[in-house]
């Protein structure tokens, strides 16, 4: 590969996303890695985990992305690609021993919560959900005076969709003291904004579907760790449970990764502008964005992130009298009507693509009831920020004064 670990460590992340995971610098080598479509590999002799062998064990098209992601997260080992973010969640949760205790944010990504809840219902593990922003409450669940210590601490920061910010350093230190493994879902931040391994986490998780691939045309997940033992367990789980990445998706993800730094820079800057403007709009009841000085997670985010990401949430205010009809709307109805009036923002789930997406989260049956029904999540893309604002403004204006 084109970049050694030492080289990657001496370059800025904006360069690594472009330079990592390329074929050798030798005459007539392609500058981009090829897409390899083969379910099996020529060979004789012993075969085990980590060997090329067969298409479920490995694929040369995974390697450059896995190497680049490992370098970006500051890991000593390449990452592991999975069929989806949730396939990576499944593999990470397999590290909890039978009957072990899992401490998880009550506002984790809904799919992660559903999986953990179902595993707990079957008696495979004990689930303790916590407000991840409340450090003392999490500490109490990691090592309760009258209960068993945790086997795994799950972190997501900022959380999806509530944008709660965890004190990653303090929580990982306490989890390690309790003997727990720490997994951090870093999907919202990307390694350019936050590096959980350097803050103490053992494993980092990504829904590669989101910012890393960045074009809403791929579903993929990844795990990264510097711990060889953990990586071997995860690789074995991936091989045996079979949640592997398609080679074409892996190829597209690396293509998307090349522009990650530019996309993150633009979307973060636009999110900050839109958050400021939305925070004073009369139709917006409240806003969560760690970049706002008034946000409860602001100082903590500043201490562990380089920027504040580009997802924000608003709670729509109820409307007493819509102009024209005079009808009144609940906050949830106002949110639905505003979203339907948008012409540029795409009403769709997901986040982290080049296009700006907007969604009322409770339209998902699996979304926890503790997420307010008038909560709208905005994923800011890379369009011109004034065009994005003009569209929001006209849709909000349609609700009346
Ligand atoms: C989307 C998402 C996931 C799940 O990833 P998929 O690729 O959809 O399986 C996990 N965590 C977070 C924070 C996400 O946003």
């Amino acid at each position: 590969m084109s970049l050694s670990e030492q080289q990657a460590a001496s370059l800025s992340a904006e360069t690594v996303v472009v330079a990592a995971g390329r074929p050798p610098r030798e005459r007539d080598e392609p500058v981009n890695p090829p897409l390899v479509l083969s379910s099996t590999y020529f060979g004789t002799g012993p075969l085990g985990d980590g060997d090329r062998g067969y298409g479920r064990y490995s694929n040369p098209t995974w390697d450059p992305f896995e190497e680049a992601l490992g370098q970006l997260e500051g890991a000593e080992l390449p990452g592991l690609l999975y069929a989806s973010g949730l396939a990576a969640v499944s593999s990470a949760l397999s590290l909890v021993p039978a009957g072990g205790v899992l401490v998880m944010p009550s506002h984790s990504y809904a799919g992660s919560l559903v999986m953990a809840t179902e595993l707990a219902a079957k008696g495979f593990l004990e689930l303790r959900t916590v407000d991840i922003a409340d450090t003392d409450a999490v500490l109490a669940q990691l090592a309760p005076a009258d209960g068993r210590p945790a086997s795994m601490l799950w972190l997501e920061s900022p959380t999806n969709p509530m944008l709660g910010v965890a004190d990653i350093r303090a929580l990982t230190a306490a989890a390690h003291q309790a003997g727990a493994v720490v997994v951090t879902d870093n999907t919202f931040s990307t390694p350019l904004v936050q590096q959980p391994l350097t803050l103490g986490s053992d494993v980092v998780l990504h829904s590669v579907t989101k910012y890393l691939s960045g074009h809403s045309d791929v579903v993929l997940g990844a795990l990264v760790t510097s711990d060889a033992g953990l990586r071997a367990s995860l690789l074995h789980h991936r091989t045996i449970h079979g949640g592997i990445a398609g080679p074409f998706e892996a190829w597209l993800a690396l293509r998307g990764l090349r522009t990650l730094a530019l996309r993150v820079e633009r979307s973060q800057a636009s999110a900050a502008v839109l958050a400021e403007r939305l925070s004073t709009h009369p139709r917006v009841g409240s806003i969560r964005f760690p970049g706002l000085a008034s946000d409860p997670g602001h100082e903590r985010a500043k201490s562990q992130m380089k920027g504040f990401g580009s997802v924000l949430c608003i709670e729509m205010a109820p409307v007493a009298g819509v102009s024209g009809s005079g009808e009144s709307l609940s906050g949830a109805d106002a949110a639905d009507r505003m979203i339907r009036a948008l012409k540029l923002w795409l009403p769709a789930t997901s986040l982290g693509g080049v296009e700006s997406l907007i969604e009322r989260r409770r339209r998902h049956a699996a979304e926890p009831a503790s997420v307010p029904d008038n909560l709208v999540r905005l994923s800011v893309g890379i369009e011109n920020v004034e065009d994005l604002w003009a569209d929001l403004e006209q849709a909000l204006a349609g609700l009346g004064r």
Side-chain angles (χ1 to χ4, degrees), residues 72-94:
L72 287 167
E73 287 288 2
E76 284 157 27
L77 298 166
L80 292 166
L81 262 177
Y82 286 84
S84 65
L86 275 183
V89 171
S90 172
S91 204
L93 288 180
S94 76

Side-chain angles (χ1 to χ4, degrees), residues 131-138 155-158 163-171 193-194 199 288 290-293 295-308:
D131 173 0
I132 209 66
D134 184 345
T135 300
D136 288 339
V138 183
L155 291 177
E156 199 179 298
S157 182
L163 297 172
V165 181
D167 185 341
I168 299 181
R169 283 188 196 88
L171 295 180
V193 176
Q194 178 170 274
L199 298 170
R288 279 304 302 265
L292 290 171
D295 190 89
H298 181 66
E299 288 306 319
R300 197 176 273 171
K302 240 173 36 182
S303 76
Q304 60 193 22
M305 296 169 75
K306 290 182 235 149
F308 303 101

Side-chain angles (χ1 to χ4, degrees), residues 163-368:
L163 297 172
V165 181
D167 185 341
I168 299 181
R169 283 188 196 88
L171 295 180
T172 52
H176 287 154
Q177 224 158 29
V181 171
V182 181
V183 178
T184 302
D185 185 335
N186 202 30
T187 300
F188 266 40
S189 297
T190 85
L192 300 189
V193 176
Q194 178 170 274
Q195 287 185 310
L197 295 181
T198 67
L199 298 170
S201 295
D202 301 297
V203 180
V204 170
L205 185 143
H206 283 281
S207 170
V208 177
T209 312
K210 315 291 168 56
Y211 291 97
L212 298 183
S213 63
H215 294 72
S216 304
D217 51 9
V218 161
V219 175
L220 277 180
L223 295 174
V224 185
T225 180
S226 285
D227 182 313
L230 290 178
R231 190 178 186 282
S233 302
L234 296 167
L235 172 60
H236 181 73
H237 183 274
R238 182 180 73 176
T239 302
I240 292 306
H241 289 251
I244 58 160
F248 186 49
E249 282 78 2
W251 188 89
L252 278 173
L254 184 68
R255 192 182 203 273
L257 189 74
R258 298 301 185 209
T259 55
L260 180 68
L262 286 173
R263 290 186 284 106
V264 164
E265 188 180 317
R266 165 65 80 94
S267 61
Q268 284 202 136
S270 298
V273 170
L274 297 177
E276 284 291 347
R277 294 182 190 176
L278 286 167
S279 68
T280 57
H281 197 286
R283 295 268 67 88
V284 175
S286 65
I287 180 164
R288 279 304 302 265
F289 179 66
L292 290 171
S294 57
D295 190 89
H298 181 66
E299 288 306 319
R300 197 176 273 171
K302 240 173 36 182
S303 76
Q304 60 193 22
M305 296 169 75
K306 290 182 235 149
F308 303 101
S310 47
V311 175
L312 50 103
C313 300
I314 53 175
E315 279 186 58
M316 292 294 292
V319 182
V322 177
S323 38
S325 69
E327 73 191 297
S328 51
L329 297 175
S330 67
D333 289 342
D336 284 339
R337 191 169 297 196
M338 183 272 286
I339 289 170
R340 269 188 251 114
L342 290 163
K343 299 183 170 80
L344 174 61
W345 289 75
L346 286 162
T349 196
S350 200
L351 55 103
V354 290
E355 66 293 307
S356 294
L357 299 178
I358 189 164
E359 162 176 71
R360 187 172 71 82
R361 280 301 295 180
R362 283 283 295 284
R363 77 188 186 99
H364 295 271
E367 195 74 357

